[in-house]
Amino acid sequence: MKKNMLMATVFAASALLSLQACKPKNASNAVSGDAAEKAYVAPGKYDAYYNFVSGGFSGQMSVYGLPSGRLLRVIPVFSVDPEKGWGYSEETKPMLNTSHGMVPWDDLHHTELSQTNGEIDGRWVFGNANNTPRVARIDLKTFRTAEIIELPNSAGNHSSPFITENTEYVVAGTRFSVPSDNSNGDVGIDTYKENFKGHLSFIGVDKETGKMSLTFQIRCPGVNFDLSHAGKGKSHGWFFFSCYNTEQANTLLEVNASQKDKDFIMAVNWKKAEEYIKAGKGKKEKVKYAHNTYSDETHSATSKIMEEVLVLDAEELKDICYMIPCPKSPHGCDVDPTGEYIVGSGKLAALIPVFSFDKIQKAIADKAYDGEYDGIPVIKYEAALYGEVKKPGLGPLHTEFDGNGNAYTSFFVSSEVVKWNIKDLKVLDRASTFYSVGHLCIPGGDSKKPSPNYLIAYNKITKDRYLPTGPELSQSAQIFDISGDKMQLILDFPTIGEPHYAQAAPAELISKNQVKIFKIAENKHKYATKGEKESKVVREGNQVHVYMTSIRSHFSPDNIEGVKIGDEVYFHVTNLEQDWDVPHGFAVKGASNAELLIMPGETATLKWVPDRVGMFPMYCTDFCSALHQEMQGYVRVSPKGSSVPLKFSLGNTSASAK
Ligand code: K7E
Ligand code: CUA
């Protein structure tokens, strides 16, 4: 009997799965009329928005212009990027350090722009690493990753990195519950209920510098935290997390974590948690996590291993966490611009529940509870519910807002975006996506002040949209004009990696702050060479340090002799240019490494261990001038124990030695 039920559920689940690629009608003739004009940005003209798109399993973040869909930049975050030397140069290697050592890849799902007073302020964008839990901060003055912090007590950092309305905190919830780091993790997997815990991390962000620090964590029951969003306005001080697998299953989750009719959205009173921290209720626990920062002064990263975290126990402190029942494995958890409405999207639900912050507060005051879940009070569904959107579509995932009282929800299974009114919960419009849509983005769509011009859908499967490219096809983004009553598809374009969440900001907000060069006089790199005359080659035991400069169109020095087998050669290349957009590159034959791409005024280091005797050319990889192809040199490598003296030169045949 039990087995039959199990099988029935498996079949139901696979029936739903087989729906995943359902092709909407009229897929090919969906763009019409003036659509092309609306996405057209003439050559030489700028886009209206920057779009920061997560790269999923590429571990990077990509930046597109909207509405043109033009790719402007790929920012390396959690994955090495040979194009920019990210993770290959000595200066950037520490950025990818973790308590497990260097982890050169991750899975970035969500981007979140910093906010002030609930509005996008254009200073930083954050990203999450799912696999080896980390949060990154990218500085939008340089479009570079400035900081990465690892999260202890966590695994699968998915409900992250969402921020509070003044960027007081970047918040992260663990997808996988695991035994706490300071407990014995060598336990039976079937002891999930007793030994596995879910931790929420509150990462403080310095108002001026953006510098992150892990302020505290909250220990919660072992469930899967999926997504989250901060309260805003009236609900500022609260955070909302969707939880699935409240069955606490540890195997065949597609069946075993889909048993209950309702899972939860967990409401967290983080202001209250702050009070408990102040009152000394946090327990210091021994953990190990890396905190990596990049300095624009030394042009170098440092990695520090941290060893302690403050943990609050939600079960002991009864009034920081509350469970709100939410139908069928909720995924997206989104808060409207007023902060009153919290939308939960049950992946297997046929409706969208909308919760009311006021009602949640009243329910807590009245103790309108339905018992407890692992020591956390469970608020009665009806006591928290504002209402349900009926028959909206199949497989709701994520919701964004336009600030005009409307919500837009993506439906993975029925491949569509549905616009509905938050007050009366009536469906107003629906538009097909091609195909299975995940996240949506409206510029400012999770802030207090959205700009309701465009909506972008990020799709998982493109099927027949683009020219085929072997077994794997490109994923896609589709832009809709939402300035009218009806959504109008105006463009689609392929994306890099797998796009999940994305955010967009007005172009002016970002472009006005751009760093164009680094001042050479302010370069504090240990191996900076601030003029050609200072360039030199220095031997320290078997280490050879090349203090090299680059300027259009030569390196100094450009010939080096006296390097021997068994040496480690460090090319410290300083780009002496002080003009915008004049990087130089550097590469040497046979290096088991990537290139360096060095910005004006910056120093970067390539480590090279020559493996054989001979002549090794080096050259500039970036087409920097008409005589770029002349920007080259040679390194002579001699046998171990050879008496060839160390020599270096530029522009003469009688080389000097040191
Ligand atoms: Cu829905 Cu990882 Cu935010 Cu993808 S997640 S879609
Ligand atoms: Cu420098 Cu090409």
Side-chain angles (χ1 to χ4, degrees):
M1 179 67 188
K2 251 210 178 127
K3 194 175 168 206
N4 281 347
M5 260 174 63
L6 184 78
M7 288 319 283
T9 328
V10 172
F11 286 134
S14 32
L16 195 60
L17 268 186
S18 65
L19 279 174
Q20 69 160 358
C22 86
K23 179 176 172 175
K25 280 174 220 127
N26 63 31
S28 55
N29 59 3
V31 178
S32 58
D34 57 348
E37 208 175 289
K38 289 183 170 171
Y40 183 67
V41 178
K45 295 279 182 245
Y46 293 154
D47 277 291
Y49 295 93
Y50 284 92
N51 190 197
F52 299 91
V53 184
S54 58
F57 44 66
S58 85
Q60 319 292 42
M61 197 182 287
S62 48
V63 186
Y64 296 85
L66 295 178
S68 74
R70 299 190 285 211
L71 175 64
L72 304 176
R73 185 148 188 91
V74 177
I75 305 171
V77 186
F78 296 115
S79 295
V80 292
D81 182 354
E83 177 195 328
K84 300 171 184 79
W86 182 255
Y88 292 95
S89 70
E90 295 309 296
E91 287 79 3
T92 55
K93 280 177 183 169
M95 289 302 281
L96 298 171
N97 192 39
T98 71
S99 61
H100 305 274
M102 191 194 195
V103 177
W105 168 88
D106 223 297
D107 184 13
L108 194 165
H109 281 217
H110 306 120
T111 63
E112 178 94 338
L113 289 157
S114 57
Q115 296 182 9
T116 302
N117 298 324
E119 291 179 35
I120 290 171
D121 61 22
R123 303 207 287 167
W124 311 299
V125 59
F126 299 90
N128 68 319
N130 261 317
N131 183 50
T132 303
R134 287 172 277 181
V135 167
R137 177 175 58 87
I138 288 128
D139 188 338
L140 291 177
K141 291 201 293 288
T142 56
F143 278 63
R144 279 191 181 170
T145 305
E147 195 176 7
I148 292 180
I149 193 166
E150 189 185 358
L151 299 173
N153 289 326
S154 302
N157 173 37
H158 194 262
S159 55
S160 165
F162 298 101
I163 56 158
T164 54
E165 71 175 25
N166 291 299
T167 321
E168 293 95 338
Y169 293 105
V170 182
V171 180
T174 185
R175 167 186 169 190
F176 298 104
S177 283
V178 284
S180 304
D181 288 0
N182 73 343
S183 70
N184 176 18
D186 180 18
V187 294
I189 296 169
D190 59 2
T191 66
Y192 186 105
K193 283 183 205 218
E194 142 200 11
N195 289 322
F196 290 42
K197 294 289 170 196
H199 288 79
L200 312 176
S201 302
F202 286 75
I203 303 164
V205 179
D206 184 89
K207 269 196 169 48
E208 300 305 319
T209 63
K211 197 145 191 275
M212 302 188 285
S213 54
L214 181 52
T215 313
F216 64 92
Q217 293 190 318
I218 304 177
R219 176 167 298 140
C220 299
V223 294
N224 289 47
F225 291 109
D226 206 7
L227 278 157
S228 59
H229 261 105
K232 48 174 97 75
K234 60 161 72 170
S235 56
H236 178 60
W238 287 74
F239 227 94
F240 303 92
F241 294 84
S242 56
C243 320
Y244 67 102
N245 190 24
T246 57
E247 294 86 350
Q248 301 185 316
N250 58 63
T251 180
L252 197 61
L253 259 63
E254 72 169 308
V255 176
N256 295 328
S258 307
Q259 299 297 307
K260 287 193 182 166
D261 190 43
K262 290 195 177 67
D263 293 279
F264 298 119
I265 281 181
M266 190 169 81
V268 178
N269 185 344
W270 60 262
K271 286 268 184 197
K272 192 88 205 169
E274 271 185 338
E275 284 171 26
Y276 281 129
I277 289 290
K278 273 201 197 107
K281 299 274 180 185
K283 289 197 187 89
K284 281 186 185 160
E285 291 187 3
K286 271 229 146 317
V287 291
K288 221 176 141 188
Y289 65 95
H291 185 184
N292 314 329
T293 43
Y294 188 86
S295 156
D296 285 338
E297 289 186 337
T298 61
H299 304 288
S300 303
T302 44
S303 177
K304 213 171 147 192
I305 295 292
M306 312 294 284
E307 298 196 315
E308 215 172 59
V309 64
L310 265 182
V311 183
L312 290 174
D313 193 319
E315 214 180 309
E316 277 170 24
L317 307 166
K318 293 282 176 204
D319 53 356
I320 43 179
C321 295
Y322 302 89
M323 296 296 200
I324 303 162
C326 183
K328 288 271 170 209
S329 306
H331 186 57
C333 180
D334 301 289
V335 181
D336 90 309
T338 68
E340 164 64 6
Y341 302 103
I342 299 108
V343 180
S345 298
K347 299 184 294 270
L348 306 176
L351 53 81
I352 305 173
V354 179
F355 300 99
S356 148
F357 180 70
D358 287 344
K359 287 186 78 175
I360 293 168
Q361 295 309 300
K362 185 163 187 305
I364 293 170
D366 297 350
K367 296 206 158 36
Y369 299 146
D370 245 347
E372 286 190 346
Y373 178 84
D374 276 13
I376 311 290
V378 178
I379 295 173
K380 287 196 164 85
Y381 180 63
E382 287 74 20
L385 188 72
Y386 171 72
E388 294 168 340
V389 185
K390 305 280 189 206
K391 299 220 169 111
L394 280 177
L397 288 189
H398 298 286
T399 300
E400 287 267 288
F401 304 92
D402 67 4
N404 296 328
N406 303 309
Y408 299 74
T409 301
S410 58
F411 288 84
F412 180 80
V413 176
S414 52
S415 288
E416 59 186 335
V417 182
V418 175
K419 174 182 178 181
W420 49 277
N421 182 277
I422 303 171
K423 276 268 144 66
D424 67 17
L425 305 171
K426 291 266 168 9
V427 170
L428 301 171
D429 189 24
R430 47 182 78 233
S432 296
T433 55
F434 317 113
Y435 298 87
S436 308
V437 55
H439 275 277
L440 301 174
C441 162
I442 290 173
D446 80 341
S447 74
K448 274 179 170 170
K449 232 196 198 161
S451 316
N453 301 325
Y454 304 110
L455 173 139
I456 310 99
Y458 300 93
N459 307 330
K460 304 296 181 190
I461 297 160
T462 52
K463 295 271 176 206
D464 50 9
R465 294 298 283 180
Y466 305 123
L467 287 173
T469 50
E472 195 198 4
L473 302 183
S474 174
Q475 321 232 4
S476 82
Q478 292 189 296
I479 308 182
F480 295 83
D481 177 347
I482 56 164
S483 57
D485 286 345
K486 297 279 171 199
M487 294 177 268
Q488 183 192 14
L489 177 61
I490 59 172
L491 185 76
D492 71 8
F493 58 92
T495 58
I496 288 195
E498 184 185 33
H500 294 260
Y501 193 37
Q503 291 208 332
E508 168 63 8
L509 198 57
I510 311 284
S511 62
K512 66 179 187 203
N513 294 328
Q514 295 305 294
V515 167
K516 295 185 170 154
I517 59 157
F518 298 102
K519 290 201 183 109
I520 193 86
E522 292 168 11
N523 183 327
K524 297 206 174 84
H525 193 291
K526 194 177 158 201
Y527 293 99
T529 310
K530 296 194 180 176
E532 235 163 60
K533 286 208 187 89
E534 292 170 31
S535 63
K536 60 186 174 185
V537 181
V538 177
R539 174 178 285 285
E540 290 167 15
N542 75 327
Q543 291 194 349
V544 176
H545 291 277
V546 182
Y547 293 72
M548 190 182 254
T549 60
S550 61
I551 197 158
R552 281 163 286 179
S553 295
H554 59 270
F555 293 109
S556 178
D558 67 358
N559 282 329
I560 301 169
E561 299 190 12
V563 170
K564 295 169 207 165
I565 294 298
D567 283 349
E568 285 177 357
V569 183
Y570 294 88
F571 296 97
H572 308 287
V573 187
T574 301
N575 180 349
L576 296 177
E577 307 281 355
Q578 293 286 273
D579 282 342
W580 194 16
D581 199 26
V582 192
H584 290 286
F586 178 82
V588 59
K589 186 190 169 193
S592 59
N593 209 328
E595 67 158 355
L596 297 174
L597 192 63
I598 314 134
M599 299 305 129
E602 188 180 50
T603 304
T605 302
L606 187 115
K607 181 183 173 184
W608 175 52
V609 182
D611 72 323
R612 67 191 70 171
V613 170
M615 197 56 69
F616 291 83
M618 51 192 181
Y619 74 103
C620 171
T621 54
D622 186 299
F623 211 110
C624 51
S625 70
L627 296 174
H628 151 80
Q629 206 67 345
E630 278 70 16
M631 198 165 170
Q632 65 164 53
Y634 290 102
V635 185
R636 171 183 170 189
V637 177
S638 306
K640 204 180 178 105
S642 148
S643 59
V644 175
L646 193 64
K647 288 199 266 186
F648 58 91
S649 65
L650 167 74
N652 59 17
T653 39
S654 58
S656 55
K658 241 184 193 163

